[in-house]
């Protein structure tokens, strides 16, 4: 969410400011919520574990938690082989730090439904070997 909550593409040239605006979930749904998932606009994150830019920032759970509490329903995690057999989330080929995959997923479990009863979708960009999958 380092890239979703503070979008680098947002500016005077962007004619879709409302798409970038902070999501304010309704107390109760204002539309038919019985349709297939693909029929809805879903607030999502990109590199949700990064707390800043995609090249040098820290990884952690702060932006995952913040995004979920603001109504984000899609969390993206890039998963790589980590030390001691524990997979990590990091942005491969960069200078970003890493957070344990287990820590990131536990943050989703603990905070996923504070602001919305609707499903949380995890998109996992899997770079982990078979042993850590």
């Amino acid at each position: 969410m380092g890239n979703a909550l503070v979008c680098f593409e947002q500016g005077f040239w962007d004619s879709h400011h409302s798409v970038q605006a902070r999501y304010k979930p309704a107390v109760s749904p204002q539309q038919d919520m019985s349709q297939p998932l693909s029929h809805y606009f879903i607030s999502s994150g990109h590199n949700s574990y990064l707390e800043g830019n995609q090249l040098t920032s820290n990884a952690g759970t702060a932006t995952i938690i913040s995004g979920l509490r603001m109504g984000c329903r899609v969390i993206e995690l890039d998963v790589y082989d980590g030390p001691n057999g524990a997979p990590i989330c990091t942005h491969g080929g960069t200078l970003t730090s890493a957070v344990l995959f287990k820590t990131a997923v536990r943050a989703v479990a603990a905070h996923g439904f504070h602001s919305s009863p609707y499903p949380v979708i995890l998109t996992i960009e899997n770079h982990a070997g078979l042993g850590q999958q």
Side-chain angles (χ1 to χ4, degrees), residues 1 37-38 40 42-45 48 68 72-77 108 112-113 118-124:
M1 257 128 331
L37 191 60
S38 61
Y40 301 97
I42 302 172
S43 181
S44 64
S48 305
L68 289 168
C72 185
R73 302 284 69 190
V74 179
I75 299 294
E76 181 196 27
L77 303 173
V108 172
F113 301 97
Y118 298 110
V120 174
I121 300 166
L122 294 179
T123 61
I124 297 176

Side-chain angles (χ1 to χ4, degrees), residues 12-35:
F12 66 89
W13 58 86
D14 184 359
S15 61
H16 304 287
H17 295 289
S18 63
V19 174
Q20 303 289 343
R22 182 175 173 151
Y23 173 71
K24 295 179 183 168
V27 175
S28 61
Q30 304 298 311
Q31 59 182 319
D32 177 9
M33 298 302 286
S34 65
Q35 298 297 310

